[in-house]
């Protein structure tokens, strides 16, 4: 080999190493729907099932999993929260940097005590949130959440609502939208990826 061919070989090798590195980085993308570009999550202050007021902007050191639902939900909410409880187990020590928030779409029945009891069935760290109906209505609009009450002949009712989850990073930015039914492994993957940015 002469000097020129060696240099050419080294430059070629560097090119391919860089190309492989870029491919590896691109492979580490979120598996959920991505907010591109990320944008600030609408802030809120609501009554917490922990007995205090929870203000989103005061928790930028945590990764937030945000959902909307209600304690009388027959299937979607308990299925989602049970999956998130398993996600927490799979995260191990990293779960300390993650907070699940579940905002009620049924403030008439979901008071603080009821939310505390319900969330405790899944994980004692999960926080349920409630507030005045008009405040919650505006908050749902800001997050693009739809909720509608369906009455039954016996006077009871269900609330049909959007069932996806938001991932909000440690800077308070909306990063991902997790659809209902997303696999546990994909959720853990996305959370770990965002935690690694800290």
């Amino acid at each position: 080999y002469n000097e020129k061919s060696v240099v050419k070989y080294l430059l070629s090798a560097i090119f391919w190493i860089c190309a492989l590195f870029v491919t590896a980085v691109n492979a580490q993308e979120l598996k959920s729907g991505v907010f591109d570009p990320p944008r600030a999550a609408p802030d809120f202050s609501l009554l917490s099932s922990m007995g205090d007021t929870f203000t989103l902007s005061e928790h930028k050191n945590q990764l937030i999993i945000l959902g909307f639902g209600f304690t009388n939900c027959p299937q979607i909410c308990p299925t989602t929260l049970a999956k998130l409880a398993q996600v927490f187990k799979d995260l191990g020590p990293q779960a300390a940097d993650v907070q699940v928030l579940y905002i009620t779409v049924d403030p008439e029945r979901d008071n603080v005590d009821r939310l505390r009891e319900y969330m405790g069935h899944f994980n004692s760290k999960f926080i349920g949130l409630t507030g005045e109906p008009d405040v919650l209505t505006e908050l749902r609009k800001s997050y693009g959440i739809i909720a509608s009450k369906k009455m039954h002949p016996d006077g009871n009712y269900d609330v049909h609502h959007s069932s996806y989850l938001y991932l909000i990073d440690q800077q308070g930015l909306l990063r991902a939208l997790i659809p209902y039914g997303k696999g546990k492994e994909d959720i853990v993957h996305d959370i770990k990826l965002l935690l690694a940015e800290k």
Side-chain angles (χ1 to χ4, degrees):
Y1 290 104
N2 59 37
E3 186 176 341
K4 286 186 178 179
S5 64
V6 170
V7 171
K8 187 175 180 181
Y9 172 80
L10 288 175
L11 288 174
S12 177
I14 291 170
F15 171 81
W16 284 110
I17 288 170
C18 290
L20 287 171
F21 176 74
V22 170
T23 300
V25 171
N26 289 339
Q28 291 295 310
E29 293 178 348
L30 297 173
K31 295 181 181 293
S32 304
V34 176
F35 287 91
D36 188 17
R39 59 178 181 269
D43 198 14
F44 54 79
S45 292
L46 296 172
L47 296 175
S48 159
S49 58
M50 298 298 185
D52 55 5
T53 299
F54 186 98
T55 300
L56 180 65
S57 57
E58 294 177 356
H59 293 265
K60 287 187 177 179
N61 60 324
Q62 292 181 305
L63 186 144
I64 303 292
I65 305 173
L66 176 63
F68 292 77
F70 65 115
T71 62
N72 286 290
C73 183
Q75 181 180 356
I76 291 175
C77 299
T79 299
T80 297
L81 289 167
K83 183 180 292 183
L84 291 178
Q86 188 59 55
V87 164
F88 259 52
K89 289 181 181 179
D90 290 357
L91 285 172
Q94 287 184 291
D97 297 321
V98 182
Q99 180 63 65
V100 169
L101 302 177
Y102 223 61
I103 299 175
T104 184
V105 295
D106 184 17
E108 294 176 35
R109 294 182 291 192
D110 288 345
N111 58 30
V112 168
D113 291 338
R114 173 61 182 150
L115 286 168
R116 182 185 304 114
E117 177 186 5
Y118 184 73
M119 302 304 283
H121 291 317
F122 304 98
N123 186 301
S124 60
K125 188 185 175 185
F126 291 2
I127 295 177
L129 299 169
T130 188
E132 294 297 324
D134 57 339
V135 172
L136 294 176
T137 297
E138 289 305 310
L139 183 58
R140 288 196 300 272
K141 287 180 182 177
S142 68
Y143 277 93
I145 297 293
I146 297 171
S148 61
K149 186 184 293 186
K150 182 178 180 180
M151 300 300 300
H152 299 308
D154 61 3
N156 289 319
Y157 63 88
D158 287 325
V159 183
H160 295 173
H161 61 90
S162 305
S163 55
Y164 39 78
L165 300 168
Y166 291 97
L167 289 185
I168 302 171
D169 70 14
Q170 299 95 319
Q171 285 72 49
L173 299 176
L174 288 166
R175 298 294 300 277
L177 190 67
I178 303 172
Y180 176 71
K182 191 73 171 175
K184 171 175 65 77
E185 294 78 10
D186 286 349
I187 298 174
V188 171
H189 168 276
D190 287 355
I191 290 171
K192 287 185 174 182
L193 202 61
L194 292 177
L195 288 175
E197 296 180 351
K198 191 172 182 180

